[in-house]
Amino acid sequence: MKLLNHAGRAVLQLGDHRLDVEVASDGRFGPDPQGVFTDWCAFTAWASTHRGGCHRPEALVTLDPALLGAPVPRPPQVFAVGLNYRSHAEETNLAPATVMPLTFTKFPSAITGPYTDLELTGDTVDWEIELVAVIGRAGFRIPAERAWEHVAGLTVGQDFSDRTVQMTGSPPQFSLGKSFPGFAPLGPALVTTQELADPDRLALRCTVNGEPVQTGSTVEMIHPVADLVSMLSRICALGPGDVIFTGTPEGVGMGRKPPRYLRPGDLVVSEIEGLGRIEQRCVEQGGARTGADT
Ligand code: ZN
């Protein structure tokens, strides 16, 4: 199944049907898209009963893409992993960590929906397409072989980064440089792993103004999703609705010679196989229109 945040309400997508979760469940779940993760097992059990159809007409939702917000709008914890693809580590001249991956956060105020304006905070804002895993079942010290049982689903994310802020100081400010408003768009949907032939092997592609800048597959991760869940949960208790940005493959602007960064008017499209695409239009600081993001 797929789960949408439509105008701030949880919407379940089953094939071509979209159901308002609160209406269809008689108030048992929803309307808050973040709230469905707190009782994820019960929610998925309920959702599976709707596969066959028999939807009340008042629960049906007509999709307006402009109203889509982040499927996980207020995660309690946001983990972001750096240097998780060897090719990207090489282009940044940084050595990937082997035991514990480089981990930082994107503060939750950076999260927006899938189709947004991105306010450029300077002249060194860069793109990083990333697979984002969402925790459904709480856990601590989760063994890797059981890690997928704790994942509610996957979505597409961008780890936009102001490289000047990120690299300022010693040690550098990874978390702040990646947490300006709008720097963590998510969407268009949360997709459960049952929808995917192989959740560990998803093609990903980022284009700027139609030109492919990043192409790869999540199979190239040094630490795949299950390893990340397991490793992070050795230290932090993971809870429902937490998200993990899993790193980016090669092709970011910083690694180019000369470096290339985003400019007003640029369109960044980030697409992952089976999950869909998100689109950000770059605008000058102060130039963003107000979106439907919640
Ligand atoms: Zn990143």
Side-chain angles (χ1 to χ4, degrees):
M1 69 168 174
K2 296 185 180 184
L3 199 54
L4 307 171
N5 171 356
H6 193 257
R9 297 180 64 85
V11 168
L12 179 64
Q13 178 163 332
L14 300 164
D16 291 339
H17 287 77
R18 294 178 194 85
L19 296 175
D20 183 278
V21 167
E22 185 188 33
V23 177
S25 71
D26 288 321
R28 184 161 171 223
F29 303 102
D32 180 9
Q34 189 69 41
V36 297
F37 298 104
T38 58
D39 202 2
W40 183 249
C41 288
F43 175 73
T44 52
W46 169 79
S48 67
T49 66
H50 279 264
R51 286 210 176 273
C54 74
H55 313 308
R56 298 211 309 273
E58 65 270 28
L60 291 175
V61 173
T62 304
L63 181 70
D64 178 355
L67 296 181
L68 287 176
V72 196
R74 299 183 314 281
Q77 301 190 95
V78 180
F79 301 93
V81 171
L83 307 176
N84 198 23
Y85 291 76
R86 216 166 295 280
S87 56
H88 175 59
E90 282 164 11
E91 73 179 344
T92 58
N93 291 317
L94 295 168
T98 48
V99 180
M100 181 62 73
L102 171 67
T103 304
F104 50 92
T105 193
K106 290 173 81 70
F107 292 101
S109 57
I111 290 173
T112 51
Y115 311 119
T116 54
D117 285 352
L118 176 74
E119 279 196 34
L120 299 178
T121 52
D123 55 11
T124 58
V125 176
D126 202 350
W127 57 83
E128 295 189 356
I129 184 176
E130 305 208 1
L131 176 73
V132 174
V134 183
I135 299 298
R137 188 143 70 83
F140 184 53
R141 296 176 182 155
I142 301 165
E145 58 271 22
R146 310 218 56 172
W148 277 112
E149 299 168 27
H150 292 261
V151 175
L154 302 170
T155 193
V156 183
Q158 255 291 345
D159 178 16
F160 285 116
S161 306
D162 183 319
R163 299 298 188 197
T164 302
V165 176
Q166 181 190 349
M167 300 305 179
T168 295
S170 179
Q173 294 281 6
F174 268 46
S175 299
L176 288 176
K178 293 163 172 278
S179 292
F180 288 96
F183 273 36
L186 295 175
L190 177 102
V191 181
T192 56
T193 53
Q194 296 95 306
E195 304 278 320
L196 305 165
D198 182 353
D200 281 308
R201 186 183 292 270
L202 303 173
L204 30 73
R205 188 168 115 112
C206 176
T207 64
V208 177
N209 302 331
E211 176 194 335
V213 288
Q214 291 184 283
T215 53
S217 168
T218 60
V219 78
E220 298 157 20
M221 285 183 188
I222 297 170
H223 304 288
V225 170
D227 282 7
L228 294 176
V229 169
S230 179
M231 286 191 275
L232 292 169
S233 77
R234 275 187 221 155
I235 294 173
C236 299
L238 302 183
D242 286 347
V243 302
I244 305 170
F245 283 73
T246 60
T248 199
E250 70 178 320
V252 301
M254 180 177 64
R256 290 161 187 268
K257 292 182 181 57
R260 173 183 172 187
Y261 297 111
L262 293 169
R263 295 289 172 255
D266 284 349
L267 178 68
V268 182
V269 177
S270 312
E271 189 167 17
I272 301 183
E273 180 183 4
L275 305 183
R277 58 152 67 181
I278 61 175
E279 297 186 9
Q280 274 63 51
R281 174 71 67 181
C282 299
V283 298
E284 285 175 41
Q285 203 155 19
R289 45 188 166 81
T290 45
D293 313 309
T294 52

